[in-house]
Amino acid sequence: MSIVQWARRQTATPRPLWVASAIVLGAALLVSAAGCTPQQVMETQTAIGLNHMRADNGLPPLTVDPTLSAVSRTRAADMAAKGYFSHSPPDGCDFRCLFAKSNVTAAWSGEVIAWNDFPTADTVNDTIQMWHDSPTHFSVITNRCFTRMGTGVATAADGRNYFVAVFEGRAPGC
């Protein structure tokens, strides 16, 4: 299912105003991606897909944060350059370490990663679907305490696309 199809999917229950806000935010992100690199477009599409997943589950959209996106890009580029796939990088500096280096303090934080070698037209949608279908990844993405996210995508020399999304938050009641 494409991101556009995901956004247009009908539900039996009325959607709150913030769901409409998520869709508008997603459209604005997509428009702002015009003229960007393929990786930047994929990052934007990933953020839109993650917010649609949250909206479909009654959660408010996350704000895309430039510092968190830089952390995600660093993680994705590191995996693509060094040919590994893990939440624990060879140098030991995971997303929490990168948060600290970037002066990000997090009450709640999380990371989801994925890689695939699907064609560019399919890679984002398939990544979002894989995260949706994985209970562990889904629970991170739909954590009600998160308020911000960053997405990063890097393509390795062998054509593999590495996706990273990091989350941070202090939502009320957490």
Side-chain angles (χ1 to χ4, degrees), residues 31-160:
V31 168
S32 71
C36 296
T37 67
Q39 277 70 33
Q40 290 167 323
V41 171
M42 288 189 283
E43 290 170 0
T44 300
Q45 291 172 335
T46 300
I48 292 167
L50 293 171
N51 271 333
H52 283 302
M53 191 185 312
R54 289 178 59 85
D56 284 350
N57 288 279
L59 295 167
L62 301 176
T63 302
V64 176
D65 181 272
T67 303
L68 299 186
S69 292
V71 168
S72 293
R73 283 185 200 108
T74 298
R75 290 278 295 121
D78 192 56
M79 286 189 280
K82 296 177 182 171
Y84 73 93
F85 180 69
S86 176
H87 290 283
S88 301
D91 68 2
C93 190
D94 64 6
F95 82 96
R96 289 177 198 90
C97 168
L98 293 172
F99 274 16
K101 287 183 178 184
S102 300
N103 296 315
V104 174
T105 57
W108 292 87
S109 63
E111 174 185 67
V112 294
I113 61 175
W115 75 265
N116 65 55
D117 57 4
F118 301 136
T120 302
D122 301 325
T123 190
V124 172
N125 290 328
D126 289 340
T127 298
I128 295 294
Q129 191 62 51
M130 287 187 291
W131 283 337
H132 180 274
D133 295 345
S134 163
T136 302
H137 293 92
F138 184 81
S139 69
V140 171
I141 294 163
T142 57
N143 183 314
R144 68 178 182 80
C145 295
F146 295 146
T147 55
R148 301 185 300 159
M149 74 169 144
T151 58
V153 179
T155 303
D158 65 2
R160 286 184 183 178

